[in-house]
Amino acid sequence: MTDSKVPEDLRYTAEHEWIEKIGPTTVRVGITDFAQDALGDVVFVQLPDTGAEVTVGESFAEVESTKSVSDIFGPLTGTVSAVNDALDASPELVNSDPYGEGWLVVIEAADEATLEEQLGDGLDAAGYRAVIEG
């Protein structure tokens, strides 16, 4: 059993990313509370440039902690429309506020239908809890 926070209003991947729909074709992405806890103290975050293409299931960023370096995988296919520049100076935000100030990127999907289809492929909170509770 875990005491990790799993907000009900987000979608999740089995690779421990969360996805928050913030517009008709846009989502904000980060790593879950479970993932940041497993990583330990985050010391560096390497994010893609704005305009970079992200492909579902492929690595697009890295989070480095005192324990290891972990790839972050695309939860959907689209284009990076914003990156969290605050992580350059304060990578620890990923630990202290993984669902808020510690977000990683905003991704824009090709259109609303594509986004909805890809979000449907993700896990809801109960499905993600099943993944982390084994």
Side-chain angles (χ1 to χ4, degrees):
M1 194 66 160
T2 179
D3 60 356
S4 294
K5 295 188 266 331
V6 181
E8 294 291 331
D9 59 334
L10 303 176
R11 301 295 288 177
Y12 301 88
T13 71
E15 292 77 32
H16 311 292
E17 289 92 21
W18 58 261
I19 307 116
E20 175 187 21
K21 186 174 179 185
I22 57 173
T25 60
T26 55
V27 294
R28 183 177 291 126
V29 176
I31 66 170
T32 64
D33 183 53
F34 177 85
Q36 71 77 24
D37 186 56
L39 279 169
D41 293 335
V42 173
V43 295
F44 180 73
V45 180
Q46 182 179 4
L47 298 174
D49 294 328
T50 301
E53 296 296 318
V54 173
T55 303
V56 67
E58 292 188 10
S59 175
F60 74 92
E62 288 183 345
V63 175
E64 184 177 334
S65 72
T66 54
K67 293 182 186 176
S68 66
V69 177
S70 295
D71 286 320
I72 307 301
F73 297 96
L76 50 86
T77 297
T79 304
V80 175
S81 59
V83 297
N84 188 351
D85 292 329
L87 298 180
D88 288 343
S90 302
E92 68 277 1
L93 289 171
V94 172
N95 294 120
S96 63
D97 194 8
Y99 300 113
E101 296 299 315
W103 64 276
L104 302 177
V105 298
V106 173
I107 300 173
E108 182 154 357
D111 53 56
E112 287 184 56
T114 301
L115 179 60
E116 290 303 322
E117 181 180 324
Q118 293 185 92
L119 286 175
D121 291 339
L123 300 167
D124 62 10
Y128 182 66
R129 270 193 219 84
V131 168
I132 62 176
E133 292 173 3

